[in-house]
Amino acid sequence: LLKQLFGPVDTPVFWRVPLSAATTVEQIMTHCYKMVVAGTTGSSDDGKVVLSKNVSDHLTIYTLENGAHYLNVDITTPEKIERAKDLGLASSGVADVILTRYLYHAADLFENTARTGRCFTVLRHPVERAVAMFHTLRTKGKLGNMTLEEYADSEAEDNWMTRMITNQ
């Protein structure tokens, strides 16, 4: 479906914004559309399985027991995106979609290739996302007894989206 929308030389690149339904979008792509996905954060059960696999020196498609298809490439950090570039992730055309939090580094995947990355995302209202982050961090015990108001006034919420868009 995405290749029909984006064209034969375009590779869809999904910008993963934390706490904005990115894991749900990943599951829709792998389970409903049976797409080959490059890049998972490991937040889903599928992602945990993929990231636990040994990464080899060539691109390989893993088909999980539930039918989901993932490439054996970890692009959870800028350094790992560089490794994916060395493996020819973008030029191979094997991935139906690339999922990443790092837009600027993902753009480097397409340098000196005949392919083009086309970005799309799902956004959540920034205040709702910040409140969800507060609850997530509090549940994990990382905020102690901090209230939501104290969290909003603190440096804990550092406007991740703005930093990623501006490459800061």
Side-chain angles (χ1 to χ4, degrees):
L1 174 67
L2 288 178
K3 287 201 180 204
Q4 293 170 348
L5 294 173
F6 287 98
V9 296
D10 295 337
T11 301
V13 176
F14 178 70
W15 180 35
R16 295 186 72 109
V17 176
L19 301 172
S20 295
T23 301
T24 301
V25 171
E26 178 181 338
Q27 291 174 340
I28 290 169
M29 287 188 262
T30 56
H31 295 285
C32 298
Y33 290 105
K34 306 296 183 196
M35 301 175 85
V36 176
V37 173
T40 181
T41 60
S43 55
S44 68
D45 289 338
D46 289 351
K48 290 174 185 151
V49 170
V50 172
L51 292 182
S52 71
K53 300 277 187 187
N54 291 326
V55 177
S56 65
D57 291 331
H58 61 280
L59 295 174
T60 304
I61 298 173
Y62 289 130
T63 300
L64 305 183
E65 289 181 19
N66 62 17
H69 306 290
Y70 286 89
L71 280 178
N72 66 324
V73 62
D74 181 353
I75 55 176
T76 56
T77 67
E79 296 77 22
K80 291 177 180 178
I81 291 173
E82 185 63 33
R83 184 182 180 286
K85 180 180 179 182
D86 294 342
L87 290 173
L89 172 59
S91 61
S92 72
V94 176
D96 292 322
V97 63
I98 296 171
L99 284 59
T100 185
R101 290 183 176 176
Y102 299 96
L103 284 180
Y104 284 90
H105 296 89
D108 292 343
L109 292 168
F110 298 93
E111 283 183 5
N112 303 318
T113 71
R115 303 189 74 78
T116 304
R118 300 285 181 181
C119 185
F120 70 106
T121 194
V122 173
L123 296 175
R124 184 177 189 179
H125 190 284
V127 173
E128 290 177 9
R129 196 191 71 72
V131 170
M133 180 62 77
F134 165 77
H135 290 297
T136 299
L137 293 173
R138 189 149 184 213
T139 299
K140 292 180 178 181
K142 296 185 178 183
L143 297 178
N145 293 326
M146 185 182 283
T147 66
L148 179 58
E149 186 176 337
E150 291 168 337
Y151 176 78
D153 289 337
S154 74
E155 298 292 319
E157 180 58 39
D158 66 351
N159 205 342
W160 181 91
M161 286 175 49
T162 301
R163 286 188 301 104
M164 288 297 118
I165 290 171
T166 59
N167 198 26
Q168 298 298 314

